[in-house]
Amino acid sequence: QGFSFVSNMSKDEAGPADLWQITWQNVGQLRVLHKHVFPVSYQDPFYSDVVEKHKEHCRLAYYADILVGAICCRVEIEDGRPRLYVMTLGVLEPYRRMGIASQLIRDIVAKVEQEKEKSKISEIVLHMQTSNTPGLQFYERHGFENAKLVPNYYQKN
């Protein structure tokens, strides 16, 4: 089961990492990061789309010149309104609890707020496994609200 979360988008201060936009030159690093952070594999079309279609809403987080985290989002239309969907947000285990994931969220929120008039994006949404208690607490601390329970969103193979 998964929860669907929604944020009211408020921004905060900077963080410890250097944030970079995704490019064809660094997308391979994102692929490696994802293999170490997530229990699922993302296929080539995901990475092509991130670079070609969604790079404005994706960030790589470098700490001491090492890629340690990333956020990948896309704009989608729901009920005729644009919203930002968080596809992935992850930080390598040794770098968690340093504020890097928070920094990534804040950066994306600030970008959306900066472009709000043009993009008309009014919310940021994501899905989260109900068993991921630390993740649920993280998003709640950042102003996300549990919008609904989505049965069978995460199917076990």
Side-chain angles (χ1 to χ4, degrees):
Q1 296 195 53
F3 286 122
S4 177
F5 276 81
V6 180
S7 172
N8 61 1
M9 301 188 320
S10 62
K11 64 180 182 177
D12 208 328
E13 73 281 349
D18 293 321
L19 303 185
W20 291 68
Q21 194 169 30
I22 188 100
T23 66
W24 284 114
Q25 288 72 34
N26 59 24
V27 71
Q29 293 177 42
L30 176 66
R31 184 184 297 268
V32 172
L33 178 86
H34 278 174
K35 285 180 184 177
H36 290 283
V37 173
F38 300 115
V40 297
S41 296
Y42 292 92
Q43 303 303 312
D44 290 340
F46 173 87
Y47 296 102
S48 295
D49 285 351
V50 164
V51 175
E52 293 176 4
K53 299 177 183 177
H54 312 303
K55 67 182 172 188
E56 291 299 316
H57 297 104
C58 298
R59 295 288 180 272
L60 303 180
Y62 290 86
Y63 185 83
D65 294 328
I66 300 167
L67 179 63
V68 298
I71 187 168
C72 297
C73 307
R74 70 173 179 248
V75 176
E76 55 183 34
I77 305 299
E78 179 76 19
D79 297 327
R81 296 181 6 207
R83 66 185 194 172
L84 194 69
Y85 180 77
V86 179
M87 299 182 291
T88 64
L89 170 62
V91 175
L92 291 172
E93 181 69 35
Y95 299 90
R96 292 182 186 161
R97 314 269 326 142
M98 294 176 60
I100 295 170
S102 296
Q103 182 182 359
L104 287 163
I105 284 284
R106 286 192 307 264
D107 183 76
I108 290 298
V109 167
K111 174 104 173 117
V112 169
E113 286 181 344
Q114 180 183 6
E115 298 176 347
K116 201 173 195 173
E117 289 298 317
K118 184 175 90 174
S119 71
K120 306 294 186 213
I121 294 172
S122 61
E123 64 182 9
I124 300 173
V125 298
L126 61 107
H127 290 95
M128 163 76 53
Q129 287 185 335
T130 57
S131 61
N132 184 352
T133 302
L136 297 170
Q137 293 169 343
F138 169 83
Y139 285 111
E140 288 171 348
R141 275 195 318 272
H142 289 282
F144 286 77
E145 298 173 2
N146 184 349
K148 64 182 173 182
L149 179 64
V150 182
N152 303 315
Y153 185 83
Y154 291 100
Q155 295 285 340
K156 293 200 180 215
N157 294 329

